[in-house]
Amino acid sequence: MLLRRIVAACPQSRRMFSSSVNHGYESAIQELNKEMESVFGVPPANGLASSANNLKNETELPSPNISESSFELTHTGKSGEAQMVDVSPKESSKRKATAVCKVILGKKVFDLVVANQMGKGDVLTVAKIAGITAAKQTSNLIPLCHNINLSHVQVDLRLNHEDFSVTIEGEAASTGKTGVEMEAMTAVSIAGLTVYDMCKAASKDIAITDIRLKHKSGGKSGEYWWTQ
């Protein structure tokens, strides 16, 4: 009630308070205190300050609660620029990763691959070699990948008669400071593209699908299995 009486008696102070509510509560309260003291001859009670503070709290919007433990993109710098992760502080450990993909051929192409009658030759063997070669070139293909000394790369292709497809599985291994997931995924991706290249003369209706990481082990994040 006191605040309302004072604001009604002092329009100039009311305008001052209204224009300053979002810019400087402390200075506005001090000015009002001086006005009240000049009008009533006594300093204002504490209720004015508390009323203004309540008004301030009501007008402020709550800031979003952002967890400090939220994940960050390690290949992005503080200003948003791309960067290569510095792995020098990490400890070396045994790393292994397995990736898979599927190439859907269709019955016509599938039968030609099974019979090894494609014009370019043995589809599965060429794709296998391409996948192994690609794994060793991952850092040249993907800019921010580290150049890793791979200790093992294996690519296997399996024909699926039930849906006329080829399942490709690639495995990469190393002992070092960063994982080999990208090497395994690059291996199956390039192997799948090679199957397409070997078969495209017979049909363009070929789809490379379901490229994904199946399993990884080693490093700080530990073991991972695809469960979806």
Side-chain angles (χ1 to χ4, degrees), residues 23-220:
H23 303 287
Y25 287 99
E26 293 183 359
S27 60
I29 291 171
Q30 292 176 359
E31 292 296 327
L32 284 172
N33 289 341
K34 293 178 181 179
E35 292 284 345
M36 290 171 58
E37 187 172 359
S38 64
V39 172
F40 297 101
V42 293
N46 292 333
L48 177 59
S50 62
S51 298
N53 286 331
N54 290 337
L55 180 59
K56 172 184 176 182
N57 293 333
E58 291 175 0
T59 56
E60 287 182 341
L61 294 175
S63 59
N65 184 15
I66 301 175
S67 174
E68 294 182 357
S69 61
S70 59
F71 292 104
E72 295 181 352
L73 297 176
T74 56
H75 283 295
T76 303
K78 293 181 179 180
S79 59
E81 78 282 3
Q83 66 177 9
M84 190 173 186
V85 178
D86 182 7
V87 297
S88 57
K90 294 184 178 182
E91 295 183 0
S92 294
S93 64
K94 292 182 178 180
R95 315 274 186 149
K96 184 180 289 187
T98 304
V100 295
C101 82
K102 177 180 283 191
V103 183
I104 302 173
L105 300 173
K107 188 177 188 310
K108 174 186 173 182
V109 176
F110 184 84
D111 290 342
L112 291 172
V113 173
V114 171
N116 196 18
Q117 293 181 354
M118 296 301 302
K120 286 191 173 184
D122 187 343
V123 174
L124 303 185
T125 299
V126 175
K128 179 185 182 77
I129 296 172
I132 294 172
T133 302
K136 296 185 290 184
Q137 297 296 322
T138 299
S139 62
N140 292 329
L141 298 170
I142 302 175
L144 300 182
C145 280
H146 295 82
N147 188 0
I148 296 176
N149 291 322
L150 294 171
S151 57
H152 174 70
V153 178
Q154 181 172 332
V155 177
D156 295 315
L157 294 91
R158 183 180 71 252
L159 294 169
N160 304 310
H161 292 265
E162 61 274 11
D163 59 358
F164 309 115
S165 69
V166 181
T167 297
I168 305 173
E169 182 168 299
E171 180 183 285
S174 177
T175 299
K177 297 185 176 185
T178 188
V180 290
E181 296 95 317
M182 296 309 302
E183 283 69 21
M185 294 183 71
T186 298
V188 298
S189 299
I190 297 301
L193 287 170
T194 302
V195 171
Y196 185 97
D197 178 65
M198 297 287 289
C199 300
K200 68 180 187 293
S203 174
K204 302 297 189 295
D205 297 326
I206 301 172
I208 303 171
T209 67
D210 299 329
I211 301 172
R212 65 183 185 272
L213 179 68
K214 180 181 178 181
H215 172 253
K216 62 87 56 179
S217 61
K220 184 179 180 180

Side-chain angles (χ1 to χ4, degrees), residues 1-8 51:
M1 292 297 295
L2 177 60
L3 178 59
R4 292 180 180 176
R5 288 171 53 193
I6 295 168
V7 172
S51 298

